[in-house]
Amino acid sequence: MLPPLPVVSPVSAEIRLTYVLRHFRQAYQAVPVVSIGYASQQPQVEIADCAGSFFAEQQPYPAPPNVREWQGRQLPIFFDSSPEKLLLELLPNGRAYIHADLISAAFYLLSGWQEYFSDERDRHGRFPYSASMQYRYGFVAVPVVNYYFDILKTAVEHVTGQPLHPRCWANGASFATFVTHDIDELRSAWKTPAKAALRSGNLLKFGWQLWRHFTRPDAWNNLELVQQTVAEYGAKSTFFFLPEHRKSANGTPNADYNIRQKWPQLAAAIGGSEVGLHASLGTAQHGGRLKRDEHRLQHLRNDVKAYGIRFHYLQWEPRITPFLLHTLLYEYDSTLGFAEHFGFRNSYCLPFQLFDFTTCKSFDFLEIPLNVMDATLHHPNYLQLAPEQILPALQPMFQEIERFGGVCTLLWHNDHFDPANETTGPRQFAELMQYLHSRNTAFVNGYDIWEAVM
Ligand SMILES: [Zn+2]
């Protein structure tokens, strides 16, 4: 199940610096030329070198972080060997010293090191939240790498005497929101009430459900409603379609619809909305199957390839999947969030590029991290938030994204627009959208993000 670790080379300090500083420069507008590095380079902003041989080895976890305060927030600081010293020391001669190795810490989290080198996977082949540093040290809802960059930004401002501003989005909006829908089921709304009627012996009700199923449109065949609901907030939907309707080998379902039969109706329902590929079970580890899914969708769309992709069940194998997306020339992926908890899987709230441990370079495609999925909020295996707890639980995360000019990626499945869903349904979605709209977010789709960033 778990592919063996590929041959990897040590990640030198120079490679870590290049990777992290490129993301730092993308996070702010017009960063002036300033040297940032380790002591041997005699830079204007000097970073303490504390990673030792960690990046020459293959251990998934570094030493536990120290907790330091930065602007009123408690932050986990990895690679911090002098906790008695100030985190940031601003010197009068146009220099600054950061007494923890924030470059290595940022590299560790952003690159996805822990999941690449960890052997832990769950029954769907995913790196489990419970095996993450975010879980262990309780920082999943804090974009820690953005805070590291905030410290670096303060040092750069001191050295150059110029203020830095986070990047901004369409019409000057301070953050962006990416509303997405994975289309798994279009014809199964009747099943739960029908089963309940049968179980309680109410044959009349059961018969009515069956009759309704065969004669009326299913409540989950609702993409026009989804598209219109989202458009009412001035927002755009991105629909990820699942071109495989056969179950996976272990019986886990893919789509409950046949995309080839349904396509004319679906295409009409979503109008000009963006279409992405929702790649079926097993494809995250199998280039041939992924290519087959891609062909099926592309064929229906007059040979137009989708720009973006998200894997069904958020399946992702860090040792294989990024390589497949890079090879198949996707512009972006939006799979990387934890199914078990909302927040920041790579501790970063902006789109970024994953690191290729076999070549020591960035992958070309953009990762637009997934922040929250409807099912995560209320599910037997995940969280069990009451409906009125959802917005208050998510608000601090939204505020972090707004603070750093990031992208808030929501996944609301079409079946969660069914009014019968009272836990993570249309009402809860409306509350989140009203909040985001009130904060003047820029509502964008995946292509808009790719165009703005790349
Ligand atoms: Zn799915």
Side-chain angles (χ1 to χ4, degrees):
M1 180 89 152
L2 178 73
L5 204 54
V7 177
V8 297
S9 37
V11 185
S12 68
E14 198 186 324
I15 291 168
R16 299 194 300 271
L17 260 173
T18 306
Y19 177 76
V20 170
L21 291 182
R22 196 162 45 76
H23 285 97
F24 173 72
R25 294 205 170 89
Q26 278 176 1
Y28 296 95
Q29 299 172 36
V31 179
V33 178
V34 49
S35 56
I36 301 168
Y38 296 105
S40 60
Q41 300 157 302
Q42 297 189 304
Q44 291 159 285
V45 177
E46 187 178 325
I47 314 285
D49 184 355
C50 317
S53 61
F54 182 80
F55 294 101
E57 293 162 11
Q58 299 181 352
Q59 294 304 316
Y61 308 114
N66 292 322
V67 176
R68 300 243 207 180
E69 191 179 310
W70 174 255
Q71 299 191 343
R73 150 124 1 253
Q74 301 292 313
L75 293 180
I77 310 283
F78 296 92
F79 306 107
D80 177 14
S81 44
S82 312
E84 72 288 353
K85 292 186 185 161
L86 275 177
L87 186 53
L88 173 62
E89 195 179 345
L90 301 173
L91 304 172
N93 57 354
R95 284 176 175 262
Y97 204 101
I98 296 175
H99 288 284
D101 194 345
L102 294 187
I103 295 292
S104 292
F107 177 81
Y108 174 75
L109 293 167
L110 203 53
S111 68
W113 182 284
Q114 61 176 355
E115 37 191 299
Y116 192 87
F117 290 100
S118 164
D119 285 342
E120 293 214 42
R121 301 290 184 265
D122 69 8
R123 64 198 174 94
H124 298 299
R126 307 176 297 195
F127 175 68
Y129 170 55
S130 60
S132 70
M133 293 303 237
Q134 284 81 359
Y135 169 76
R136 197 179 301 178
Y137 299 105
F139 63 91
V140 69
V142 182
V144 170
V145 173
N146 295 91
Y147 278 97
Y148 294 163
F149 283 1
D150 198 47
I151 297 165
L152 204 53
K153 161 187 173 279
T154 310
V156 169
E157 287 173 336
H158 169 76
V159 164
T160 61
Q162 295 173 37
L164 283 185
H165 302 286
R167 56 163 310 125
C168 64
W169 296 91
N171 303 318
S174 63
F175 71 116
T177 297
F178 177 29
V179 180
T180 68
H181 318 287
D182 294 356
I183 311 305
D184 300 338
E185 299 183 286
L186 290 167
R187 35 199 314 267
S188 303
W190 65 286
K191 284 184 183 167
T192 307
K195 277 183 202 159
L198 194 59
R199 228 178 288 123
S200 65
N202 190 337
L203 292 183
L204 198 63
K205 202 168 174 187
F206 175 71
W208 185 81
Q209 288 289 350
L210 268 190
W211 173 80
R212 199 178 177 285
H213 170 60
F214 286 112
T215 56
R216 298 281 174 85
D218 194 278
W220 293 353
N221 191 358
N222 59 356
L223 301 195
E224 196 172 341
L225 169 81
V226 171
Q227 191 271 334
Q228 285 170 0
T229 305
V230 171
E232 278 167 22
Y233 298 92
K236 318 178 184 185
S237 287
T238 295
F239 292 89
F240 291 93
F241 287 101
L242 185 47
E244 175 59 82
H245 67 275
R246 292 166 303 181
K247 289 181 179 177
S248 76
N250 69 3
T252 312
N254 281 302
D256 78 344
Y257 60 98
N258 180 328
I259 194 166
R260 204 160 48 84
Q261 290 169 3
K262 282 283 216 184
W263 186 250
Q265 186 227 323
L266 299 176
I270 65 167
S273 304
E274 183 181 15
V275 170
L277 174 63
H278 196 37
S280 62
L281 296 167
T283 57
Q285 293 209 35
H286 198 296
R289 288 187 210 155
L290 179 56
K291 191 81 191 151
R292 193 177 56 194
D293 275 6
E294 178 183 307
H295 269 297
R296 285 177 179 157
L297 184 60
Q298 194 169 329
H299 178 71
L300 296 168
R301 303 180 65 230
N302 301 321
D303 222 28
V304 177
K305 182 179 153 88
Y307 293 110
I309 184 166
R310 177 182 290 135
F311 289 86
H312 188 39
Y313 274 71
L314 307 185
Q315 281 194 328
W316 185 268
E317 173 43 60
R319 298 175 187 178
I320 295 179
T321 314
F323 173 75
L324 299 181
L325 300 187
H326 179 85
T327 309
L328 294 178
L329 305 176
Y330 277 92
E331 315 291 10
Y332 75 87
D333 170 80
S334 187
T335 303
L336 289 185
F338 289 115
E340 303 94 321
H341 207 291
F342 58 85
F344 308 100
R345 177 151 159 178
N346 295 68
S347 299
Y348 197 54
C349 70
L350 277 160
F352 67 101
Q353 283 165 294
L354 282 159
F355 187 78
D356 182 348
F357 293 97
T358 63
T359 62
C360 283
K361 289 181 185 154
S362 296
F363 285 111
D364 286 343
F365 69 92
L366 193 65
E367 177 59 36
I368 307 175
L370 171 61
N371 301 115
V372 58
M373 161 169 91
D374 44 23
T376 300
L377 302 166
H378 190 92
H379 188 277
N381 300 336
Y382 306 144
L383 303 176
Q384 276 102 41
L385 296 174
E388 67 278 8
Q389 292 173 323
I390 289 176
L391 179 60
L394 296 180
Q395 234 166 342
M397 177 182 81
F398 293 153
Q399 286 161 359
E400 297 282 16
I401 295 170
E402 184 175 347
R403 169 176 182 164
F404 293 112
V407 175
C408 175
T409 305
L410 303 178
L411 162 50
W412 219 261
H413 292 82
N414 60 301
D415 55 303
H416 289 247
F417 285 82
D418 179 349
N421 184 332
E422 293 176 344
T423 49
T424 50
R427 274 200 179 180
Q428 290 71 42
F429 179 74
E431 280 178 16
L432 304 187
M433 290 296 279
Q434 277 156 16
Y435 172 80
L436 292 162
H437 185 260
S438 77
R439 302 304 306 167
N440 295 315
T441 191
F443 285 109
V444 292
N445 65 24
Y447 183 73
D448 297 334
I449 295 169
W450 179 81
E451 213 182 18
V453 175
M454 299 299 274

